[in-house]
Amino acid sequence: MESLVHFLRERAVGRTILGVDVVAFQALKTFDPPATALGGLTVTGVSRHGKFLDLDCDGLHLVIHLARAGWLRWREDLSGAKPVRPGKGPLAVRVRLAPDDEGLAPGFELTEAGTQKRLAVYVTKNPDDVPGIAALGPDPLDESFTVAALKRIVGGNRTQIKGLLRDQKVIAGIGNAYSDEVLHAAKMSPFKVAATLTDAQIADLHEAIVTTLGEAVERAHGLAAKDLKAEKKSGLRVHNRAGQPCDVCGDTIREVSFADSSLQYCPTCQTGGKPLADRRLSRLLK
């Protein structure tokens, strides 16, 4: 998301919105102001709230949450784009921008693969009115996210550390993939209870969070939106790499599956060499 923010700042800020075409009506979560109110406004800024993208358009905000299967596809010229009928294909929303000096009318499309349609778009005067934003925890890329701040978060929390890192109300923006990466870097079991972390382990976890996310942003800096997913995948050490050797120790990366997600980890690096069984049968590893 941070990389998409930089990408859109370079390409969308300063441009006038010609129109917003909502193709998947279930994606639009607000009705007042209507999406048509964005037409004629200028994109004056792009920011991020956790996993929410926020385009400031002369004070009216277009807020986007891509969910698990959504993506933003930049188009250099949408002037010849054909209208799309609702319910046909993955396209959810199309944002058309004013032509540039060469006569090209750029813009972007929000798409979502699969049948579980969770991509969400909001048009609001105040981003804090979006329920998901109002409930966000601290951002791990912010300077205020210190070791002391993390200690306050984990102190007394009986949640398993994997779940805590994924909880946007606790820490904003990490998610499933990078929680796997952070725990691998910290050499920590995903099932470890947060409240049991020592001061040294909290410091190690903080370093892993800041370093892992910072390096991911640095690798993606300057890339086109279409290349960001591939770059993210290429930089992952454990997530979605079950059955492959760990780059650190050579052990086989393993997986634990849940109803709607999975986690990947290295037994040697994270659990003292012990493989985790199905979560329903596993005991918490210390």
Side-chain angles (χ1 to χ4, degrees):
M1 288 300 104
E2 186 71 14
S3 301
L4 278 177
V5 168
H6 290 293
F7 178 86
L8 290 173
R9 280 176 182 164
E10 294 175 354
R11 289 162 176 79
V13 170
R15 293 185 179 274
T16 300
I17 295 177
L18 289 184
V20 177
D21 306 320
V22 179
V23 180
F25 296 109
Q26 76 276 3
L28 184 61
K29 305 303 181 183
T30 53
F31 63 91
D32 185 23
T36 54
L38 293 165
L41 302 183
T42 300
V43 180
T44 54
V46 182
S47 58
R48 177 183 62 84
H49 313 276
K51 291 189 171 187
F52 290 84
L53 284 172
D54 178 5
L55 279 74
D56 186 340
C57 308
D58 287 333
L60 193 60
H61 295 259
L62 175 62
V63 178
I64 301 163
H65 192 286
L66 295 174
R68 182 179 301 172
W71 194 240
L72 185 150
R73 180 172 58 187
W74 180 263
R75 301 283 295 274
E76 294 295 342
D77 188 13
L78 280 170
S79 58
K82 298 180 180 179
V84 180
R85 289 187 299 171
K88 299 293 183 179
L91 180 60
V93 177
R94 176 181 284 157
V95 178
R96 295 175 285 111
L97 302 176
D100 57 21
D101 294 338
E102 298 178 357
L104 300 178
F108 60 87
E109 296 175 335
L110 305 177
T111 62
E112 186 173 24
T115 58
Q116 293 185 344
K117 302 301 184 182
R118 297 178 179 175
L119 184 147
V121 175
Y122 308 80
V123 180
T124 178
K125 296 177 181 178
N126 185 353
D128 288 337
D129 290 338
V130 175
I133 292 179
L136 286 175
D139 193 302
L141 292 178
D142 192 273
E143 292 183 357
S144 63
F145 186 75
T146 61
V147 174
L150 180 59
K151 184 176 181 178
R152 289 192 294 270
I153 290 171
V154 303
N157 195 315
R158 301 301 302 177
T159 304
Q160 294 173 2
I161 193 64
K162 166 73 176 181
L164 182 142
L165 292 178
R166 289 190 61 186
D167 189 341
Q168 301 299 299
K169 296 179 181 179
V170 177
I171 302 175
I174 293 181
N176 192 37
Y178 283 112
S179 60
D180 283 348
E181 297 301 300
V182 164
L183 292 172
H184 180 257
K187 301 184 182 300
M188 189 174 295
S189 167
F191 289 170
K192 187 171 182 62
V193 175
T196 66
L197 268 63
T198 66
D199 287 349
Q201 288 172 325
I202 293 173
D204 288 344
L205 181 60
H206 179 270
E207 175 66 19
I209 292 172
V210 174
T211 301
T212 300
L213 298 183
E215 289 178 349
V217 171
E218 183 63 27
R219 287 196 309 270
H221 183 71
L223 293 181
K226 65 182 179 64
D227 298 324
L228 290 175
K229 277 192 173 182
E231 167 53 40
K232 176 182 177 179
K233 184 177 180 180
S234 68
L236 298 176
R237 290 189 168 187
V238 289
H239 185 74
N240 276 346
R241 292 191 60 212
Q244 301 179 41
C246 172
D247 291 341
V248 176
C249 70
D251 194 2
T252 300
I253 296 169
R254 295 177 181 260
E255 178 175 277
V256 177
S257 297
F258 305 94
D260 60 351
S261 66
S262 62
L263 66 82
Q264 290 80 39
Y265 69 100
C266 171
T268 295
C269 291
Q270 296 175 251
T271 62
K274 292 181 62 178
L276 300 176
D278 184 277
R279 186 185 186 209
R280 293 167 297 180
L281 304 177
S282 297
R283 294 181 179 276
L284 299 181
L285 295 183
K286 306 296 190 232

